[in-house]
Amino acid sequence: MYFCFFGNTPDEKWQLCRQMGIHNAIAKLAPELTGAPSIDDFESFSKSKDIYEKEGFNLYGLEGDQFDMHRIKLGLPGRERDIEKYHKMLENMGRLGVTLLCYNFMATGWYRTNKNISERGGALVSGFNYDTSRQEPLSKWGTFSENQIWDNYQWFIEQVMPVAEANGVKMALHPDDPPISPVNGIGRILTSAKAMDRALSLSNSPSHGLTFCQGTFTTMNENVSEMIQKHGKNGKIFFVHIRDVVGTPDNFRETFHDNGPTDMFKMIKAYKDVGFDGPLRSDHVPSMAGESNEHMGYEMKGNLFGIGYIKGLMHGCGIKTP
C-alpha cells in the first residue's frame, strides 16, 4: 500500500500511515505546497526527499502537476521553457531514485460541480453534473478543441518520453476525470478506453504507461476487468488508484469503497492474476464525522477506512502487505 501526501510537512497523517504499515510515499511537491522552489531545482527536491526518509518513508513517486503546466497542456507561448523545467525534474528524479510520475493532461484538473453530497451516515462526497458544468463560465484561457489538446499531448510525449526513459522514470498517465468533454470550454481527450489506447500508441517507450484509475474507468462505463487484463498483460499498468462511483459520465457521485457497483474483490484478484505488483493506493474518499471536508476526497478518516478495506481484500486474495 502507498499513500499520496501533499507537500513535505509531517503531520498526523504521516504518523497514521506508519501505524497502518505504510512506508512508501507518493507526493505532490508543488511550490504552493512546500513553500520551496519547484523540483526542477535539485536542492529543493533533495530536501523534500530527505524529509520523507527521516520520517520513515521511501519517496517512491510523484503525483499531479509539480509546477504550472497550463502552457504545455494548452500549447501556449512559453511551453518550450516549461518543458525544459520538466526535463530537469525528470533528471532529478533519476538522480534521487524517484521512479514513478503520475501525470495528467487536464488543463482544469479533476473537476466536480458538487463537493457536499451526503453519503452513508452523512459522510460527504463529491459529484459531477454535466448540465450544471455547462452553465459555468468558460476558462480564463478561452476554448480549446479536442484536436488541439491531442496535438499538444503528442508534442508533450515526444518531448518528455526519451528523457524519462533515459532516467529510469515510469510516466503513468491518468485518465480525465470527469471523462467528458468539454469542461469550461476546454476539450478533454482521455475519456474512454479507446482514447487511452490512442495515447499509449504515441510512444513505444517502456516508460510510457498508465495510472489505472479504476474509479474513472468505472465512470466511463468501460469493462474494467477487460482493461486490467489487456493493459496488465502488456505491462502498461504502472500505478493503481482504487475508489468507486455511482452514475454515468455526465451525472455521478463518489461513494465508499464498499458501497458502489464494483466487485472490489474481483478487481483486486484481477491485478494479482495479471502479475501487477506495483504501487496501489486508496483514492477519493468520503469526508467523515468531525472532518471539515476542506481537502475534498483526501481527508484522513475515509482513508483509514479505505486502506483497511483494500488491505483486507488483498489478504483475501493471498497478497501480502506489510
Side-chain angles (χ1 to χ4, degrees):
M1 290 292 297
Y2 291 63
F3 191 83
C4 184
F5 296 93
F6 294 83
N8 58 10
T9 303
D11 59 15
E12 182 184 66
K13 289 183 178 181
W14 296 48
Q15 183 177 5
L16 288 169
C17 282
R18 289 193 297 268
Q19 291 173 353
M20 289 187 287
I22 294 174
H23 306 292
N24 289 298
I26 308 291
K28 182 172 182 178
L29 298 174
E32 65 268 20
L33 298 173
T34 64
S38 58
I39 56 175
D40 53 295
D41 180 284
F42 181 79
E43 292 303 319
S44 178
F45 197 167
S46 181
K47 287 178 181 177
S48 286
K49 188 171 188 291
D50 287 345
I51 291 171
Y52 278 91
E53 289 182 348
K54 289 176 183 177
E55 292 293 322
F57 294 100
N58 167 43
L59 183 57
Y60 184 91
L62 304 174
E63 183 163 343
D65 292 348
Q66 306 299 319
F67 55 85
D68 191 333
M69 290 282 291
H70 286 99
R71 292 188 292 195
I72 290 174
K73 293 178 182 180
L74 298 177
L76 301 176
R79 68 175 181 173
E80 290 81 7
R81 293 194 300 275
D82 293 342
I83 214 72
E84 291 177 5
K85 290 181 62 174
Y86 210 97
H87 289 168
K88 290 179 181 178
M89 177 185 71
L90 291 169
E91 291 165 358
N92 290 342
M93 291 178 72
R95 291 175 66 183
L96 292 169
V98 180
T99 58
L100 175 76
L101 177 57
C102 170
Y103 73 101
N104 68 76
F105 219 71
M106 298 177 280
T108 50
W110 74 281
Y111 181 83
R112 296 292 185 265
T113 55
N114 192 335
K115 303 177 182 180
N116 294 282
I117 300 172
S118 182
E119 234 282 345
R120 188 173 64 195
L124 297 177
V125 297
S126 68
F128 175 81
N129 182 279
Y130 194 43
D131 288 339
T132 301
S133 76
R134 285 188 288 187
Q135 297 172 23
E136 296 179 347
L138 296 177
S139 80
K140 66 181 181 180
W141 300 280
T143 59
F144 292 82
S145 70
E146 292 174 23
N147 285 338
Q148 286 177 294
I149 303 301
W150 272 117
D151 288 345
N152 297 338
Y153 180 66
Q154 181 168 352
W155 180 84
F156 170 73
I157 289 300
E158 291 170 352
Q159 298 297 315
V160 303
M161 206 53 65
V163 182
E165 185 174 340
N167 287 279
V169 176
K170 288 189 173 182
M171 292 189 61
L173 172 63
H174 192 290
D176 291 348
D177 179 20
I180 200 163
S181 179
V183 172
N184 297 138
I186 298 179
R188 293 198 171 212
I189 59 174
L190 303 165
T191 58
S192 67
K194 185 177 180 180
M196 303 309 291
D197 289 343
R198 178 178 173 181
L200 288 176
S201 75
L202 297 179
S203 171
N204 62 5
S205 170
S207 287
H208 189 33
L210 299 176
T211 293
F212 199 89
C213 184
Q214 186 177 297
T216 305
F217 295 133
T218 298
T219 308
M220 294 176 187
N221 292 323
E222 298 286 4
N223 188 318
V224 180
S225 295
E226 287 185 0
M227 292 184 72
I228 294 172
Q229 290 292 320
K230 175 181 178 177
H231 296 300
K233 288 181 178 178
N234 290 336
K236 288 299 183 180
I237 299 179
F238 292 168
F239 188 22
V240 173
H241 288 179
I242 302 290
R243 60 185 176 91
D244 214 355
V245 294
V246 176
T248 61
D250 60 354
N251 187 20
F252 65 85
R253 64 176 175 82
E254 309 264 12
T255 186
F256 284 91
H257 289 78
D258 68 336
N259 200 38
T262 304
D263 184 337
M264 289 291 188
F265 183 81
K266 179 182 176 182
M267 296 297 108
I268 297 297
K269 188 174 185 301
Y271 295 120
K272 179 186 178 184
D273 290 345
V274 297
F276 175 74
D277 61 356
L280 178 153
R281 73 168 179 85
S282 167
D283 192 28
H284 291 194
V285 297
S287 297
M288 299 178 71
E291 294 181 315
S292 69
N293 198 35
E294 180 180 354
H295 201 183
M296 175 191 68
Y298 290 94
E299 299 289 359
M300 196 59 189
K301 289 180 181 177
N303 267 308
L304 292 173
F305 175 87
I307 291 166
Y309 181 72
I310 294 169
K311 290 183 79 168
L313 293 173
M314 294 173 73
H315 292 170
C317 291
I319 303 171
K320 293 182 178 180
T321 62

